[in-house]
Amino acid sequence: MPEIASLTRLYSRPGFLLRRAHQISTAVFESECNALKLTPAQYGVLTVLSAYPGLDQSSLARALGFDKVTMLRVLRVLEPRGLIKREESPNSKRNLSISLTPEGRKLLKTAQAPAERAYHRLLSPLDATQQAQLLSLLEQLSTGLDSMARAPFVPPT
């Protein structure tokens, strides 16, 4: 029965398990934030802009490890909802400065409790020690292989 053996091997591969965990993570977040019509990517953008208002699009993408196309898609959803505004950057006429609107700050504040519930639901199958271990291992994996990512991750300073 080589077919079963190959499926078992597929289903135990890190890439398969990480992709599946990401699917579950997204579903858990979206179920908690459904009423707010907020995705994990949108929440990430709002969170970064709350901490670093006025970032340009490229810096914002790097702060989340997004490629330029993904960043543009997220911004094209948030802007018509009145959650962000893009303005000419005071430092460069070529770059746009992105910041939260009052409505964006309000939504981010409202999203804190459901986002925290999603975080706890996602980790709920694990005890406290396992949760810390998982997060540590994921950070180690991400850091150790960061140079192989399609999009750079550069936290803002």
Side-chain angles (χ1 to χ4, degrees), residues 1 5 22 27 33-34 36 40 47 54 59 66 76 86 89 108 112 145-146 151 154 157:
M1 294 208 168
H22 180 261
C33 293
N34 185 44
L36 303 174
T47 301
S59 298
F66 288 173
R76 284 185 175 162
R86 292 192 262 188
S89 173
L108 181 59
Q112 295 306 309
L145 297 174
D146 189 61
V154 182
T157 55

Short mmCIF file of all heavy atoms in Angstrom, two decimals, residues 1 5 22 27 33-34 36 40 47 54 59 66 76 86 89 108 112 145-146 151 154 157:
data_model
loop_
_atom_site.label_atom_id
_atom_site.label_comp_id
_atom_site.label_asym_id
_atom_site.label_seq_id
_atom_site.Cartn_x
_atom_site.Cartn_y
_atom_site.Cartn_z
N MET A 1 0.82 -1.20 0.00
CA MET A 1 0.00 0.00 0.00
C MET A 1 0.87 1.26 0.00
O MET A 1 0.84 2.02 0.94
CB MET A 1 -0.91 0.00 1.21
CG MET A 1 -1.93 -1.07 1.23
SD MET A 1 -3.29 -0.48 2.18
CE MET A 1 -4.48 -1.69 1.81
N ALA A 5 1.17 5.06 2.49
CA ALA A 5 2.46 5.48 3.04
C ALA A 5 2.84 6.85 2.51
O ALA A 5 3.33 7.70 3.26
CB ALA A 5 3.54 4.46 2.73
N HIS A 22 -2.01 27.46 9.21
CA HIS A 22 -2.34 28.82 8.75
C HIS A 22 -3.80 28.92 8.34
O HIS A 22 -4.49 29.90 8.66
CB HIS A 22 -1.43 29.23 7.60
CG HIS A 22 -1.73 30.60 7.10
ND1 HIS A 22 -2.48 30.82 5.98
CD2 HIS A 22 -1.40 31.82 7.59
CE1 HIS A 22 -2.61 32.12 5.79
NE2 HIS A 22 -1.97 32.74 6.75
N ALA A 27 -9.15 30.94 9.74
CA ALA A 27 -10.57 30.64 9.97
C ALA A 27 -10.99 31.02 11.39
O ALA A 27 -12.08 31.59 11.58
CB ALA A 27 -10.84 29.16 9.72
N CYS A 33 -13.84 37.68 14.21
CA CYS A 33 -13.94 39.06 13.72
C CYS A 33 -14.93 39.20 12.56
O CYS A 33 -14.92 40.22 11.86
CB CYS A 33 -12.56 39.55 13.31
SG CYS A 33 -11.43 39.73 14.70
N ASN A 34 -15.78 38.20 12.37
CA ASN A 34 -16.73 38.20 11.27
C ASN A 34 -17.63 39.44 11.28
O ASN A 34 -17.85 40.07 10.24
CB ASN A 34 -17.58 36.93 11.30
CG ASN A 34 -18.49 36.82 10.11
OD1 ASN A 34 -18.08 37.08 8.98
ND2 ASN A 34 -19.73 36.44 10.35
N LEU A 36 -17.01 42.28 12.29
CA LEU A 36 -16.23 43.47 11.97
C LEU A 36 -15.75 43.46 10.52
O LEU A 36 -15.18 44.44 10.05
CB LEU A 36 -15.03 43.58 12.90
CG LEU A 36 -15.34 43.62 14.39
CD1 LEU A 36 -14.06 43.59 15.20
CD2 LEU A 36 -16.16 44.85 14.73
N PRO A 40 -7.15 38.69 9.07
CA PRO A 40 -5.88 38.82 9.79
C PRO A 40 -4.92 39.83 9.12
O PRO A 40 -4.25 40.59 9.81
CB PRO A 40 -5.29 37.41 9.76
CG PRO A 40 -6.47 36.51 9.59
CD PRO A 40 -7.44 37.29 8.75
N THR A 47 -2.88 47.43 12.92
CA THR A 47 -2.04 47.39 14.11
C THR A 47 -0.71 48.09 13.87
O THR A 47 -0.26 48.88 14.71
CB THR A 47 -1.82 45.93 14.56
OG1 THR A 47 -3.09 45.34 14.84
CG2 THR A 47 -0.95 45.85 15.80
N GLY A 54 1.88 56.90 9.29
CA GLY A 54 2.61 57.61 8.25
C GLY A 54 3.62 56.78 7.49
O GLY A 54 4.39 57.33 6.69
N SER A 59 7.39 50.20 3.28
CA SER A 59 7.77 49.96 4.68
C SER A 59 6.69 49.19 5.41
O SER A 59 6.99 48.30 6.21
CB SER A 59 8.04 51.29 5.40
OG SER A 59 9.11 51.96 4.80
N PHE A 66 4.74 41.17 3.86
CA PHE A 66 3.84 41.04 2.71
C PHE A 66 4.58 41.41 1.43
O PHE A 66 5.43 42.30 1.45
CB PHE A 66 2.65 42.01 2.82
CG PHE A 66 1.62 41.67 3.86
CD1 PHE A 66 0.60 42.56 4.12
CD2 PHE A 66 1.65 40.49 4.57
CE1 PHE A 66 -0.37 42.27 5.08
CE2 PHE A 66 0.68 40.19 5.52
CZ PHE A 66 -0.34 41.09 5.77
N ARG A 76 -6.46 48.41 -0.74
CA ARG A 76 -7.61 48.70 -1.61
C ARG A 76 -8.94 48.29 -0.97
O ARG A 76 -10.00 48.69 -1.45
CB ARG A 76 -7.44 48.02 -2.96
CG ARG A 76 -6.45 48.74 -3.84
CD ARG A 76 -6.39 48.14 -5.21
NE ARG A 76 -5.52 48.92 -6.08
CZ ARG A 76 -5.00 48.46 -7.19
NH1 ARG A 76 -5.27 47.24 -7.60
NH2 ARG A 76 -4.23 49.24 -7.92
N ARG A 86 -4.34 57.70 2.52
CA ARG A 86 -3.03 57.81 1.89
C ARG A 86 -2.86 59.26 1.46
O ARG A 86 -3.72 59.82 0.78
CB ARG A 86 -2.93 56.87 0.69
CG ARG A 86 -2.94 55.42 1.08
CD ARG A 86 -2.55 54.54 -0.07
NE ARG A 86 -3.73 53.99 -0.74
CZ ARG A 86 -3.68 53.07 -1.68
NH1 ARG A 86 -2.53 52.60 -2.09
NH2 ARG A 86 -4.78 52.61 -2.23
N SER A 89 3.62 62.03 1.01
CA SER A 89 4.57 61.99 2.11
C SER A 89 5.29 63.33 2.23
O SER A 89 5.68 63.91 1.22
CB SER A 89 5.59 60.88 1.89
OG SER A 89 6.60 60.93 2.86
N LEU A 108 -9.97 49.22 15.12
CA LEU A 108 -8.86 48.48 15.73
C LEU A 108 -9.12 48.28 17.21
O LEU A 108 -8.90 47.18 17.74
CB LEU A 108 -7.54 49.21 15.50
CG LEU A 108 -6.30 48.52 16.07
CD1 LEU A 108 -6.12 47.12 15.48
CD2 LEU A 108 -5.07 49.39 15.83
N GLN A 112 -9.81 44.42 19.27
CA GLN A 112 -8.85 43.87 20.23
C GLN A 112 -9.40 42.64 20.95
O GLN A 112 -8.71 41.61 21.04
CB GLN A 112 -8.41 44.93 21.26
CG GLN A 112 -7.65 46.09 20.66
CD GLN A 112 -6.45 45.68 19.84
OE1 GLN A 112 -5.60 44.91 20.28
NE2 GLN A 112 -6.37 46.18 18.62
N LEU A 145 15.15 30.92 8.69
CA LEU A 145 14.95 30.78 7.25
C LEU A 145 14.46 32.06 6.59
O LEU A 145 14.02 32.05 5.44
CB LEU A 145 13.96 29.63 6.96
CG LEU A 145 14.42 28.25 7.40
CD1 LEU A 145 13.32 27.22 7.20
CD2 LEU A 145 15.68 27.84 6.67
N ASP A 146 14.54 33.17 7.30
CA ASP A 146 14.02 34.44 6.81
C ASP A 146 14.59 34.83 5.44
O ASP A 146 13.87 35.37 4.60
CB ASP A 146 14.28 35.56 7.82
CG ASP A 146 13.57 36.84 7.44
OD1 ASP A 146 12.33 36.83 7.36
OD2 ASP A 146 14.28 37.85 7.21
N ALA A 151 8.98 37.58 0.48
CA ALA A 151 8.85 38.99 0.86
C ALA A 151 9.65 39.21 2.14
O ALA A 151 9.56 38.43 3.07
CB ALA A 151 7.38 39.34 1.08
N VAL A 154 10.81 43.17 7.80
CA VAL A 154 11.67 44.18 8.43
C VAL A 154 10.79 45.02 9.36
O VAL A 154 10.07 45.91 8.90
CB VAL A 154 12.35 45.10 7.38
CG1 VAL A 154 13.28 46.09 8.05
CG2 VAL A 154 13.08 44.27 6.33
N THR A 157 11.26 50.79 12.59
CA THR A 157 12.04 51.34 13.69
C THR A 157 11.67 52.78 13.94
O THR A 157 11.11 53.45 13.11
CB THR A 157 13.55 51.26 13.39
OG1 THR A 157 13.80 51.90 12.14
CG2 THR A 157 14.02 49.83 13.32
#
